[in-house]
Amino acid sequence: GAVVSQHPSRVICKSGTSVKIECRSLDFQATTMFWYRQFPKQSLMLMATSNEGSKATYEQGVEKDKFLINHASLTLSTLTVTSAHPEDSSFYICSALVQETQYFGPGTRLLVL
Amino acid sequence: DAKTTQPTSMDCAEGRAANLPCNHSTISGNEYVYWYRQIHSQGPQYIIHGLKNNETNEMASLIITEDRKSSTLILPHATLRDTAVYYCIVSSTGTASKLTFGTGTRLQVTL
C-alpha cells in the first residue's frame, strides 16, 4: 500500500505556542489529504479535508483559525495548531487519498503543558 | 454515510480464523465497505474494501452478503500481531470519500 509519513511523531509544547505537523505521501502524489484527531480511548474524528491548491474544508465544530491547514504540494500537507492549550493534547493523524482508498500516517502525539 | 454496527470485542485463538462481522443495513448503492485496523498508538492500517463482490488480498478476505446489508472480514490464520481494533466503514469514493470511524471491534488474539 501507499506510504504516508508524519513528522514529528510526538511533540511537547508550552501552552500558547504553535505547533506544526507535517504529513507527506512518500511514493505517490495526493490531491486530497485528511486530518483526524483521536482522544484517549475514543475513535478517530475527522477534522478537515485538505485539497492541494485550495482551501481546506473543515468539519463542523473545528475552528479553522486555530487549526491551520496548508496543502501546497501534491506530497505535503501541514497542520498548525495555533495558540495550543492543554485541551488540544491529542493524537493527530493524517491520511492521503489514493484512488478509492485512504492511507494513514503513523500519527503525531501532541502534549500541551 | 451509512452507519455500521460491530461487536465491541472478540477473542480468537492464534492460528485460527478470525471472523469479524459488520452490519450496514442502510448502505447506499454507491457506497463501498472498507475495513481498517488500528494497533495501539498507531495510525489506522488499510486492510481491504469492496462494493458487492467478495474480495481477497494478502491480509484478509471480505465477504459481502448479496443484499449488501452486512459483511464479514476474515483473517484466515490469526497471529498475536493481529490484535487490534478493527473498523468497518461504509463510504462513497472520490472526493466525497470521508471515513466516519465508529467504535470498532477490539480483537484479542490469544495463545
Side-chain angles (χ1 to χ4, degrees):
Chain A
V3 179
V4 178
S5 70
Q6 282 185 242
H7 178 78
S9 58
R10 59 183 64 194
V11 56
I12 301 173
C13 70
K14 293 182 178 180
S15 185
T17 60
S18 295
V19 175
K20 179 185 284 188
I21 302 170
E22 294 184 346
C23 177
R24 294 182 184 273
S25 57
L26 296 186
D27 52 357
F28 63 98
Q29 294 182 327
T31 304
T32 303
M33 292 183 172
F34 301 86
W35 286 96
Y36 295 79
R37 180 169 53 181
Q38 185 176 32
F39 292 108
K41 298 187 177 182
Q42 295 186 22
S43 193
L44 280 79
M45 294 293 294
L46 178 64
M47 299 176 66
T49 302
S50 169
N51 292 297
E52 188 267 338
S54 63
K55 291 184 179 180
T57 302
Y58 290 82
E59 295 300 300
Q60 191 172 10
V62 178
E63 300 176 57
K64 62 179 181 180
D65 294 329
K66 180 170 181 63
F67 298 99
L68 301 179
I69 292 173
N70 185 287
H71 193 160
S73 80
L74 289 172
T75 59
L76 174 64
S77 175
T78 61
L79 169 68
T80 301
V81 183
T82 62
S83 186
H85 291 286
E87 56 266 30
D88 297 322
S89 297
S90 188
F91 192 46
Y92 291 86
I93 312 167
C94 71
S95 71
L97 183 64
V98 180
Q99 297 179 337
E100 303 169 339
T101 303
Q102 288 187 38
Y103 293 91
F104 287 81
T108 296
R109 192 162 299 282
L110 171 63
L111 177 61
V112 184
L113 301 177
Chain B
D1 289 342
K3 290 185 177 180
T4 62
T5 304
Q6 299 178 251
T8 303
S9 64
M10 293 181 64
D11 291 333
C12 178
E14 190 177 34
R16 305 297 293 269
N19 297 289
L20 291 86
C22 179
N23 287 321
H24 31 79
S25 58
T26 60
I27 190 171
S28 301
N30 65 341
E31 289 182 316
Y32 286 70
V33 180
Y34 289 85
W35 283 84
Y36 286 83
R37 71 181 182 184
Q38 186 177 27
I39 297 170
H40 184 61
S41 296
Q42 298 182 24
Q45 178 187 21
Y46 167 76
I47 301 173
I48 199 168
H49 76 284
L51 184 61
K52 51 185 175 181
N53 296 325
N54 297 337
E55 302 287 345
T56 295
N57 63 20
E58 65 278 4
M59 288 183 68
S61 294
L62 173 60
I63 308 299
I64 303 174
T65 58
E66 194 169 339
D67 63 7
R68 303 209 322 126
K69 292 185 177 182
S70 66
S71 61
T72 301
L73 178 74
I74 301 173
L75 307 178
H77 305 288
T79 71
L80 296 177
R81 287 178 292 183
D82 292 322
T83 293
V85 178
Y86 287 76
Y87 296 99
C88 167
I89 304 167
V90 293
S91 176
S92 54
T93 60
T95 55
S97 57
K98 293 183 180 182
L99 298 179
T100 301
F101 284 79
T103 53
T105 295
R106 183 170 297 277
L107 175 68
Q108 180 69 52
V109 180
T110 58
L111 290 171

